[in-house]
Amino acid sequence: MRILVVEDSARLRAVVVKALRRSGYVVDESEDGDDGLWRALEFSYDGVVLDLMLPKRDGLEVLSELRKAGNEAPVLLLTARNRVEDRVAGLRGGADDYLGKPFALEELLARVDALCRKRFDRHTTVVRVGDLEVDSDARTARRGGELLDLTAREFRLLQVLAMQQGKLLSRTRLEEHLYDELTVPMSNVVDATVYQLRRKLRAAGGGTPLVHTRRGQGYVMEDVS
């Protein structure tokens, strides 16, 4: 999952970004409203953590411009202004959730996870595809009850495929979930990661394939047994 954090406090931004990355997210960051808006429109994000009080362009204006542009990325607003009218203004402006400062990192992570599930129309942290079980909260995957030994990149790819089971995902779309803007993607990273996933899924669950190739188009995860 790829998250954008727009927060002008360098100290708080660093703490939030570090916590998200340690939880397995791919994270981009921005320190002002103009840059945050540009990034949100330029790249595809599964969630945006957006401070209200930003230099150059405040969070409500960023949110308004995103929604006017048809950008539906889930947005979690952060602010020290915790009055009812502030929360109402943010939610009516198109925000999906609201978190007042100061906050516990555990709560922020839980809210971001909920936003990402909403993005994929999932209401629980566990997704099942056949005998495969992917737990986004625990960051684990099991097939036939057997725990899969996955790298962080393999889990991210598996998570995206499972959450959008039955949907064809292009290599370009999948790459967006594996890299932040500062990393130069390897040309064959998706194919190589899918190969490793298939190998591990096959070892745990026998010969029934779950990840299918659509030649020239991308990949889809589904149980066709």
Side-chain angles (χ1 to χ4, degrees), residues 193-205:
T193 308
V194 167
Y195 172 82
Q196 292 298 330
L197 269 180
R198 281 176 167 158
R199 184 177 63 82
K200 294 179 180 181
L201 288 169
R202 185 168 55 247

Side-chain angles (χ1 to χ4, degrees), residues 4 6 30 32-43 45 48 50 54 57-58 61-67 69 71:
L4 173 65
V6 189
S30 180
D32 64 68
D34 282 352
D35 184 70
L37 177 61
W38 175 80
R39 292 175 194 275
L41 293 174
E42 182 73 13
F43 305 103
Y45 293 102
V48 179
L50 177 65
L54 293 167
R57 189 188 299 255
D58 69 33
E61 188 177 353
V62 172
L63 179 61
S64 175
E65 291 299 319
L66 282 178
R67 298 311 187 223
N71 188 305

Side-chain angles (χ1 to χ4, degrees), residues 12-223:
L12 179 57
R13 188 174 67 250
V15 170
V16 170
V17 168
K18 181 178 180 180
L20 287 168
R21 285 177 175 159
R22 291 181 69 174
S23 294
Y25 292 100
V26 175
V27 186
D28 294 336
E29 55 184 294
S30 180
E31 63 182 5
D32 64 68
D34 282 352
D35 184 70
L37 177 61
W38 175 80
R39 292 175 194 275
L41 293 174
E42 182 73 13
F43 305 103
S44 178
Y45 293 102
D46 300 304
V48 179
V49 178
L50 177 65
D51 186 32
L52 273 184
M53 300 178 68
L54 293 167
K56 298 186 179 179
R57 189 188 299 255
D58 69 33
L60 283 181
E61 188 177 353
V62 172
L63 179 61
S64 175
E65 291 299 319
L66 282 178
R67 298 311 187 223
K68 285 179 183 177
N71 188 305
E72 297 181 353
V75 173
L76 170 63
L77 289 180
L78 300 180
T79 184
R81 300 186 312 206
N82 208 19
R83 299 176 302 171
V84 172
E85 51 265 41
D86 293 324
R87 296 197 298 271
V88 170
L91 294 171
R92 285 182 173 171
D96 298 87
D97 200 0
Y98 198 106
L99 186 60
K101 298 177 182 178
F103 53 82
L105 278 176
E106 292 81 2
E107 182 177 3
L108 180 137
L109 292 173
R111 289 176 181 267
V112 169
D113 186 61
L115 283 186
C116 290
R117 295 200 307 271
K118 180 178 180 179
R119 173 76 158 174
F120 297 113
D121 197 27
R122 300 288 174 182
H123 304 290
T124 65
T125 62
V126 178
V127 177
R128 293 179 175 84
V129 185
D131 62 349
L132 173 69
E133 180 179 285
V134 181
D135 189 329
S136 296
D137 188 28
R139 302 283 164 184
T140 59
R142 298 177 183 273
R143 188 170 192 193
E146 180 179 339
L147 183 66
L148 301 179
D149 182 16
L150 302 176
T151 66
R153 179 176 293 159
E154 289 166 356
F155 180 81
R156 283 199 300 269
L157 188 58
L158 179 64
Q159 183 185 34
V160 172
L161 287 167
M163 281 191 167
Q164 299 188 79
Q165 59 184 286
K167 295 182 180 180
L168 178 65
L169 301 175
S170 69
R171 287 174 174 81
T172 300
R173 176 61 176 152
L174 290 172
E175 278 182 357
E176 293 172 349
H177 294 278
L178 299 179
Y179 292 107
D180 59 33
E181 62 176 335
L182 299 178
T183 308
V184 178
M186 302 184 318
S187 61
N188 66 337
V189 64
V190 172
D191 295 334
T193 308
V194 167
Y195 172 82
Q196 292 298 330
L197 269 180
R198 281 176 167 158
R199 184 177 63 82
K200 294 179 180 181
L201 288 169
R202 185 168 55 247
T208 305
L210 293 177
V211 182
H212 308 274
T213 303
R214 297 290 183 265
R215 192 171 300 278
Q217 302 179 68
Y219 295 97
V220 60
M221 171 169 275
E222 57 187 346
D223 178 21

